[in-house]
Amino acid sequence: MKKLILMIFFSAITSTGFGQLKSHSFEEVDSLQYIQKKKIIVFIHTDWCQFCQRMKNTTFKNQEIIEKLNADFYFIDLNAEEKRDIAFNNQIFKYKPSGNNVGVHELALQLGTIHNQIVYPVLCVLNEKREIILQYSNYLNPKDFKLLLEKLKE
């Protein structure tokens, strides 16, 4: 009986505690689409955005969400203030400084601008052809994010 309880305990720990969200780069996703077509979910955030950090620490730590994202989507974590050039969809996107140590990446603007502005965090969902099918600008708790993933899977 003790062995059974220990086995259940350790399997519960390993199945819930160690699953990690697999984040891809834009360059990787371009190649992965040739192997298996999946929708792409881009999480656009900044280091200074409190709602972005909360989403990272709650929504993206939820085991169910991690499993669904890893299985059914390509997930990309994009810091909107990323300074490196990013190749995506046969284009090169660059960081655009707007002041002293301030700026935004062109790709974040392209994917995250809604009604002529970008408000963090932004979720941008691309279909298998890399076309924007959804943009959502706000914090999503785990429950609401699960509902969104279920709708996107349909």
Side-chain angles (χ1 to χ4, degrees), residues 23-67:
S23 183
H24 299 278
S25 69
F26 283 96
E27 295 84 358
E28 270 183 299
V29 166
D30 267 347
S31 302
L32 288 169
Q33 287 290 21
Y34 291 109
I35 300 165
Q36 183 179 9
K37 300 276 188 209
K38 291 184 182 181
K39 290 183 177 112
I40 302 164
I41 296 180
V42 184
F43 176 58
I44 305 167
H45 60 87
T46 65
D47 292 335
W48 49 262
C49 165
Q50 290 179 359
F51 291 108
C52 302
Q53 298 311 315
R54 185 184 324 157
M55 212 163 152
K56 278 184 170 186
N57 292 322
T58 58
T59 306
F60 294 121
K61 298 274 190 211
N62 179 286
Q63 197 59 39
E64 260 185 275
I65 289 171
I66 290 170
E67 289 169 11

Side-chain angles (χ1 to χ4, degrees), residues 5 13 17 28 39 51 76 81 99 115 124 129-130 132:
I5 292 171
I13 287 176
E28 270 183 299
K39 290 183 177 112
F51 291 108
I76 299 175
E81 297 170 326
H115 305 300
C124 179
K129 297 174 191 167
R130 300 176 193 94
I132 296 173

Side-chain angles (χ1 to χ4, degrees), residues 4-149:
L4 179 62
I5 292 171
L6 281 174
M7 280 181 20
I8 292 170
F9 175 74
F10 284 116
S11 67
I13 287 176
T14 55
S15 67
T16 59
F18 297 107
Q20 292 206 333
L21 180 56
K22 174 69 175 130
S23 183
H24 299 278
S25 69
F26 283 96
E27 295 84 358
E28 270 183 299
V29 166
D30 267 347
S31 302
L32 288 169
Q33 287 290 21
Y34 291 109
I35 300 165
Q36 183 179 9
K37 300 276 188 209
K38 291 184 182 181
K39 290 183 177 112
I40 302 164
I41 296 180
V42 184
F43 176 58
I44 305 167
H45 60 87
T46 65
D47 292 335
W48 49 262
C49 165
Q50 290 179 359
F51 291 108
C52 302
Q53 298 311 315
R54 185 184 324 157
M55 212 163 152
K56 278 184 170 186
N57 292 322
T58 58
T59 306
F60 294 121
K61 298 274 190 211
N62 179 286
Q63 197 59 39
E64 260 185 275
I65 289 171
I66 290 170
E67 289 169 11
K68 284 179 195 278
L69 283 172
N70 287 345
D72 301 328
F73 303 92
Y74 294 123
F75 179 78
I76 299 175
D77 184 329
L78 175 62
N79 184 334
E81 297 170 326
E82 175 71 50
K83 289 190 170 62
R84 72 176 179 86
D85 291 357
I86 298 174
F88 180 63
N89 223 8
N90 301 317
Q91 265 185 283
I92 302 292
F93 295 90
K94 299 179 176 294
Y95 175 77
K96 293 291 182 195
S98 59
N100 213 7
N101 229 8
V102 179
V104 67
H105 202 281
E106 289 175 329
L107 191 50
L109 289 173
Q110 172 115 11
L111 298 175
T113 300
I114 305 168
H115 305 300
N116 296 320
Q117 66 178 358
I118 188 164
V119 178
Y120 306 105
V122 179
L123 281 173
C124 179
V125 182
L126 307 170
N127 65 14
E128 294 82 352
K129 297 174 191 167
R130 300 176 193 94
E131 301 164 330
I132 296 173
I133 58 171
L134 174 77
Q135 290 172 301
Y136 182 81
S137 176
N138 211 334
Y139 169 81
L140 274 172
N141 64 38
K143 180 182 168 205
D144 292 338
F145 195 74
K146 281 182 218 170
L147 290 173
L148 175 67
L149 291 179

